[in-house]
Structure formats: C-alpha cells, structure tokens
Amino acid sequence: MLSLATVLWSSCQEVITLELPDQEPKLIVDALVRLDTTQSTTLVSIEVRQTSDFFGTIAPVSVDQMTLSNLDNPGNNTDQVLDETEPGSGIYQQVFSTHELARDRWFLQIDYLGQIYVAESRMQYAVPIDQLTIGDGSLFNEESTELLVRYTDIGDRQDFYLFDYNNGDFFASEDLFYDGQQFEFSYFYDKTFNPGDTLTVSIMGIDRDFFNYMNLLREQSEGGFGPFASPAVSVRGNLINATDIDNNNNYNNVNNPDNYALGYFALVQEYRKSVVVE
C-alpha cells in the first residue's frame, strides 16, 4: 500500500512516497468473561472487531456463528449459540449458569468467512480487595491521584491477578514475592478528582499464559492499554485457527501459524471495590 507524506525542512516542502506494509485483516476478540460467583447466572458478552489496513480503522464485525461449549459435560445441551445484540454491532451475548462456568472447562468457537477460530479456558480464582484508600503521593506531577490497593493472597498456590482501574488501564501481578501475605501497592491516575467522585477497581484471577500476554501488551504499548484494542504489533493471544484441523490427518495448525485472531478468551473470577473521594 502506498501513502503520501509531507516533510517540512528549512521551510521547504517535499512530497515523498512511503512504502507501507500490507497487513491482512485480523479479527480482534474481546472474550474476557468476568464471573461474580455470588450470582446464579452470568451474562456472557463477547465483542468481535476487525483490523483493516496500516492506517485503517477498527470496526465491529458480524460473524457467521459463535458458540460456547462445556468440555467437561458435553451432550447436556451445553453447546449454546451466542446471539448478536444488534445487526452489525459485533457484540454477542447469552446467559449461562455461573456455577457451570466456574466449575468446568469451556470451549469458544467463532465461525467467520469459512474460517474457524477456537480457544479454551477454565475459570481462575481471585481474592477480594481488602481496602482501597486515596493516598497523598504524586507521580511526575501534581495533577495525579494516588490509589492504594490492599489485598491478601492465598498461600501454598501460585496466583496471578489482573487489575482493572475502570479507565482502560490494566495491571497484571503474580504472588511470587508475597505468597500468602497481605500486599499493598500504589496506582496513580494522571488526573485529580473532585470530592464525591467514586473510584472502582476490579481484581481478577488469571493463569500464567494470560499474565504473560498482558505483560507483553504493556511492554509493547508503552503505558496504558486495553487488552483487546488493536495493538501496534500483533501480540498473539490464545485464539487459534482450527479450520484445517480434522483430528484425522491434521492434528494442529502448524502449516498455517500466522492465521489467528487477536485478543484472548478467559474465564475469570472478579471482585470489585469502590472508594469515594472525600
């Protein structure tokens, strides 16, 4: 693809031609399923978009079919089709039993233009947030707000956590240095808040693969990011292309390794806590 760019140098204009790489469109799947295990049912909501050219936009896309299947209890009417909320919205939803989502392994399949994208997940447990506190520290400038997050890790197991600060920024942590202990850290918003404003934080349990995926996104986005936005580079998640896998002659997709979807499918237990700015 060719693009024209204007370069200013010593008050002169020169039109140059840049050769930009062609990029095959890729699906972006936001399949982070958050479970409140105190509720009997969960509305599973999955969003699908698609990348375009190098400088193109990211738009919702309607797929041919999306299903979520129970791998541990097959044949019990557990293959459920997710319905698009509105034509062209790219948002697919269905109500599931929270108990079954938390207990079993689940298989996501997306059919789109003759291609089949699949991923598998089992819910990872989290721990509640013990306390949120507005601190008085600052970072780089005075126009910032410190939020202190405190929680207690469960000992004798390896845990990974994902924090959502409800502003498009996420942070992944592992309990390597605080296994079984209460732990507190600071997060800085790059703005100040007014008295009465409410700040909400979510903590989610994730596995090691998702933890590594989120850290790669943070490294390559150089700061705040959304885990299912279109990254500057194609950080690979867990959605593979299974179109040619027939379990007879082809058991994997090693002959088509670059044909995959961006994003991640994960079932996570979530706890939320809020604090009011005083």
Side-chain angles (χ1 to χ4, degrees):
M1 183 180 72
L2 297 179
S3 177
L4 294 180
T6 301
V7 178
L8 295 179
W9 181 257
S10 300
S11 300
C12 296
Q13 285 190 348
E14 178 183 359
V15 178
I16 62 175
T17 300
L18 298 178
E19 186 72 28
L20 298 178
D22 289 328
Q23 291 188 339
E24 290 293 330
K26 284 187 179 296
L27 291 183
I28 306 173
V29 182
D30 178 350
L32 180 62
V33 180
R34 310 181 187 211
L35 303 181
D36 180 350
T37 52
T38 66
Q39 302 298 313
S40 60
T41 60
T42 295
L43 177 63
V44 174
S45 183
I46 296 176
E47 182 177 1
V48 183
R49 293 170 292 161
Q50 188 177 49
T51 64
S52 56
D53 293 331
F54 196 84
F55 288 124
T57 59
I58 302 171
V61 63
S62 297
V63 301
D64 300 325
Q65 182 169 279
M66 182 184 299
T67 58
L68 199 58
S69 307
N70 190 323
L71 293 177
D72 291 332
N73 289 282
N76 189 26
N77 295 323
T78 53
D79 296 345
Q80 294 198 39
V81 176
L82 278 70
D83 300 318
E84 192 172 19
T85 56
E86 296 180 5
S89 68
I91 299 174
Y92 292 79
Q93 295 181 339
Q94 188 59 263
V95 177
F96 288 79
S97 162
T98 303
H99 174 69
E100 292 181 357
L101 287 174
R103 180 192 63 194
D104 301 325
R105 291 177 303 127
W106 289 83
F107 183 80
L108 174 67
Q109 178 172 325
I110 300 173
D111 299 354
Y112 179 63
L113 297 181
Q115 303 292 302
I116 301 174
Y117 301 93
V118 300
E120 177 185 330
S121 182
R122 180 188 291 276
M123 192 198 78
Q124 302 297 313
Y125 286 92
V127 295
I129 297 175
D130 297 333
Q131 187 176 26
L132 288 183
T133 307
I134 304 295
D136 55 7
S138 61
L139 185 66
F140 302 130
N141 60 70
E142 296 181 357
E143 297 297 323
S144 62
T145 301
E146 181 187 27
L147 182 66
L148 298 171
V149 183
R150 181 184 301 172
Y151 59 100
T152 302
D153 179 68
I154 296 178
D156 300 326
R157 75 181 191 191
Q158 190 173 32
D159 291 299
F160 301 89
Y161 302 108
L162 179 65
F163 293 87
D164 179 2
Y165 300 102
N166 205 32
N167 63 347
D169 194 15
F170 292 77
F171 172 68
S173 175
E174 64 173 316
D175 66 352
L176 179 62
F177 299 109
Y178 56 86
D179 184 35
Q181 303 178 43
Q182 189 174 71
F183 183 69
E184 183 178 88
F185 67 93
S186 293
Y187 172 78
F188 290 89
Y189 295 91
D190 60 355
K191 59 179 291 186
T192 57
F193 294 91
N194 297 318
D197 289 345
T198 300
L199 306 182
T200 301
V201 176
S202 296
I203 182 174
M204 294 165 274
I206 60 177
D207 60 19
R208 177 184 292 275
D209 290 339
F210 197 15
F211 170 79
N212 292 334
Y213 170 80
M214 296 300 291
N215 280 335
L216 277 176
L217 280 181
R218 177 170 288 276
E219 290 174 5
Q220 299 188 11
S221 63
E222 298 180 353
F225 65 93
F228 308 103
S230 178
V233 294
S234 296
V235 179
R236 186 163 186 167
N238 64 344
L239 288 127
I240 68 169
N241 189 305
T243 306
D244 297 327
I245 300 177
D246 57 18
N247 292 327
N248 293 319
N249 298 316
N250 295 315
Y251 298 95
N252 52 53
N253 68 336
V254 295
N255 295 323
N256 197 14
D258 296 325
N259 190 350
Y260 57 89
L262 299 174
Y264 215 96
F265 170 50
L267 296 168
V268 301
Q269 184 183 33
E270 179 189 43
Y271 290 97
R272 295 184 181 183
K273 198 171 187 65
S274 299
V275 61
V276 177
V277 178
E278 296 182 355

